[in-house]
Amino acid sequence: MFAVVLKRGATLGRHRRFLSSTAVTIPELDDFQIKNEQCLQYVKGSKERAELEKALKSLKDTITDVPIVVGDEEFRPGEAKHQVMPFNHEKKLANFYWATPDVLQKAINVSQVARGSWEATPLNERIKLFLKAADLVSTKYRMQLNAATMLGQAKVVVQAEIDSAAELADFFRFNAFYAKELHKNQPISDNPKDVINKLRHRGLEGFIAAVSPFNFTAIGGNLASAPALLGNVILWKPSDTAILSSYLVFKVMQEAGFPSGVINFVPADGPVFGNVIVRSPNLAGINFTGSVPTFRHLWQQVGQNLSLYHNFPRLVGECGGKNFHFVHPSADVDTTVNATILAAFEYSGQKCSACSRVYVPESLWMKVKEGLVETQKQLKIGSPLEFDSFSSAVIDAKAFARITGYVNHAAKSSDLNIIAGGSYDDKIGYFIEPTIVQTKNPNDKIMREEIFEIGRASCRERV
């Protein structure tokens, strides 16, 4: 919002106005600096290793009940659903529930009641809540968050620490810092003796729907909280396969002091959630990370309902991709091999940033191929509870079926040759061996379609 503030006695046109002390004022913010949260190493015998193992045992031996939370109320409609451990899918980790349309509508109503007082809360006070949340992530909740991410999303310890501890704390701190810095950018006042121009950032009039993915605990916390920093209220739909870690993030925000109704925790069936939010006149925005088809569908639904809304909903979406390494003939082979293996197979390739294609000049191909195949043999794919595992199972049965479909396609196609990996087994967990496929057809579907998994294609180019 842009405000023009006249000083007492200043002239507005031909009329003299004497403004009262109720004129819009923009309070100064406390200044502070930040730095990245440092990752712990969890070496054998270390204090953090012992604390994490204790948290892992506690969560592993318990089925945590995760309610829907709307304002101050908890809901458990219908039959409980279950989050399982991907590397041991017979083991239940948490019970959770899907919000019905009525519960979702209640969440919208509650958020609108909370919106006025939350937006009126000074930015300085909101920033303090974010900094407190970051401190809770870094200390009290660190091991629980890491344990929930390892057990529920099958991340090995290094990946969990980077995500649910360091990156989540960084999101809270850096968002607060940039909100403070954004506040410093005020419009020019040409005649400050008479007129002072001020800019105040307001929340949107309505609610934000946050839809978060399974693969990063930190992204869930960020999608749900970042809009709140500038006065928005949120309905947060977490991923079913990241329920426990998402609920712990929500509890962190509760303990930090976020008022009830500002962020509402509403696990739900995807289509049900989407249909309710897009039909609400109060929809002000969607904050999304997930698949291209889902985001396209939401965008289409919003477009069809534009005349319904009080505002123009803002849509922010991070979707998948088909990232690649394009290797120059002058490239160092060892660096190429190591960077490609890490980019492709960390967290089983379940990242939108993961390397999915490699274009290698023929002059380097034999050395690069040898390096990739030999390094692949050294990767341990096992339980994240074994601290020497490089990676673990993929997230669920649906992902397993989709990924193995591409592996089977590679095994049958005359254009494709599996040069490493290709095995899979879902009897205990959803395990797929890191798979490297060589192709002579750059237009094969394995080179064009996002797989979001543990298989990578290499294309040899004549250079």
Side-chain angles (χ1 to χ4, degrees):
M1 183 182 77
F2 185 75
V4 179
V5 180
L6 272 69
K7 294 209 171 177
R8 288 182 184 276
T11 302
L12 180 62
R14 293 177 300 162
H15 305 283
R16 181 173 291 275
R17 305 285 191 189
F18 292 89
L19 299 185
S20 71
S21 59
T22 59
V24 174
T25 59
I26 310 295
E28 293 300 317
L29 302 182
D30 296 339
D31 199 15
F32 60 93
Q33 298 299 315
I34 53 169
K35 59 181 180 180
N36 290 106
E37 178 69 24
Q38 296 302 299
C39 291
L40 303 180
Q41 299 304 308
Y42 298 94
V43 296
K44 191 172 183 178
S46 65
K47 177 184 176 183
E48 63 263 23
R49 176 81 163 257
E51 291 176 346
L52 178 59
E53 288 176 336
K54 182 179 179 181
L56 284 165
K57 185 178 187 308
S58 175
L59 290 180
K60 181 169 66 73
D61 294 342
T62 305
I63 300 177
T64 304
D65 186 63
V66 178
I68 298 161
V69 184
V70 175
D72 289 324
E73 293 185 74
E74 295 184 353
F75 296 87
R76 294 173 176 82
E79 187 176 346
K81 304 181 187 308
H82 311 289
Q83 182 185 10
V84 301
M85 300 179 190
F87 55 94
N88 183 7
H89 48 62
E90 292 298 312
K91 179 67 175 174
K92 295 175 183 177
L93 184 64
N95 295 332
F96 66 98
Y97 310 84
W98 275 350
T100 63
D102 288 343
V103 172
L104 290 169
Q105 185 57 55
K106 182 177 180 64
I108 293 172
N109 297 340
V110 167
S111 75
Q112 295 312 286
V113 172
R115 188 177 72 83
S117 59
W118 177 243
E119 187 184 3
T121 300
L123 178 57
N124 214 38
E125 298 305 310
R126 290 188 234 128
I127 284 175
K128 289 177 182 178
L129 300 184
F130 274 74
L131 296 179
K132 183 175 181 181
D135 290 342
L136 289 170
V137 169
S138 302
T139 55
K140 178 179 178 180
Y141 283 88
R142 189 184 201 113
M143 299 308 165
Q144 291 182 59
L145 286 163
N146 282 343
T149 301
M150 292 172 70
L151 295 169
Q153 291 135 273
K155 286 199 171 185
V156 296
V157 62
V158 63
Q159 293 291 313
E161 170 71 6
I162 290 169
D163 171 17
S164 51
E167 188 172 2
L168 180 56
D170 282 352
F171 271 134
F172 284 135
R173 291 192 181 111
F174 277 83
N175 286 347
F177 176 80
Y178 287 126
K180 184 245 315 180
E181 294 298 297
L182 185 65
H183 174 83
K184 291 180 179 179
N185 296 316
Q186 294 294 329
I188 295 171
S189 298
D190 289 328
N191 300 300
K193 292 182 179 180
D194 296 328
V195 178
I196 298 176
N197 298 320
K198 289 287 187 179
L199 180 67
R200 179 167 66 89
H201 296 276
R202 295 185 55 220
L204 301 178
E205 296 180 4
F207 69 93
I208 304 292
V211 182
S212 60
F214 76 86
N215 58 336
F216 280 93
T217 301
I219 290 178
N222 184 56
L223 290 176
S225 67
L229 186 55
L230 293 180
N232 292 291
V233 291
I234 296 95
L235 269 62
W236 179 14
K237 180 205 167 304
S239 169
D240 291 351
T241 45
I243 280 289
L244 182 55
S245 61
S246 296
Y247 182 57
L248 289 175
V249 175
F250 178 74
K251 291 181 69 174
V252 165
M253 292 187 286
Q254 284 184 313
E255 187 168 328
F258 283 71
S260 62
V262 171
I263 299 175
N264 300 279
F265 186 78
V266 286
D269 177 53
V272 171
F273 182 81
N275 289 337
V276 171
I277 64 167
V278 300
R279 292 171 183 166
S280 172
N282 292 306
L283 178 65
I286 297 176
N287 210 13
F288 174 92
T289 294
S291 72
V292 171
T294 300
F295 191 56
R296 280 178 176 163
H297 181 67
L298 287 170
W299 196 307
Q300 185 180 48
Q301 287 182 297
V302 169
Q304 291 170 344
N305 290 317
L306 274 181
S307 61
L308 175 68
Y309 305 125
H310 298 317
N311 211 324
F312 289 104
R314 281 71 160 172
L315 277 70
V316 179
E318 180 198 1
C319 300
K322 192 72 174 171
N323 290 350
F324 63 90
H325 283 176
F326 194 89
V327 183
H328 191 270
S330 65
D332 178 76
V333 171
D334 288 342
T335 300
T336 299
V337 169
N338 291 333
T340 300
I341 290 289
L342 289 174
F345 298 128
E346 279 191 325
Y347 193 40
S348 302
Q350 297 175 119
K351 306 178 183 180
C352 52
S353 60
C355 176
S356 184
R357 299 173 289 182
V358 187
Y359 297 89
V360 185
E362 191 165 14
S363 58
L364 292 181
W365 171 239
M366 293 309 296
K367 291 182 178 179
V368 170
K369 176 183 177 181
E370 180 182 3
L372 291 173
V373 171
E374 290 304 311
T375 305
Q376 186 272 354
K377 293 177 183 177
Q378 301 170 28
L379 304 180
K380 177 182 176 180
I381 309 301
S383 167
L385 303 180
E386 299 168 5
F387 280 59
D388 61 341
S389 292
F390 173 79
S391 189
S392 187
V394 298
I395 193 64
D396 60 12
K398 184 186 296 185
F400 182 87
R402 185 180 68 252
I403 296 160
T404 55
Y406 284 97
V407 175
N408 294 336
H409 166 70
K412 295 175 183 177
S413 173
S414 59
D415 287 336
L416 305 174
N417 179 33
I418 297 175
I419 61 174
S423 300
Y424 49 85
D425 190 333
D426 66 347
K427 288 192 292 292
I428 297 174
Y430 303 112
F431 288 102
I432 302 175
E433 189 180 13
T435 300
I436 304 172
V437 178
Q438 181 182 348
T439 179
K440 55 188 178 182
N441 177 10
N443 294 315
D444 187 274
K445 73 174 185 176
I446 208 168
M447 294 289 284
R448 293 183 291 105
E449 298 176 8
E450 184 187 21
I451 307 173
F452 207 67
E453 47 67 62
I454 201 160
R456 292 297 173 259
S458 297
C459 183
R460 183 177 64 186
E461 299 289 345
R462 292 187 178 276
V463 177

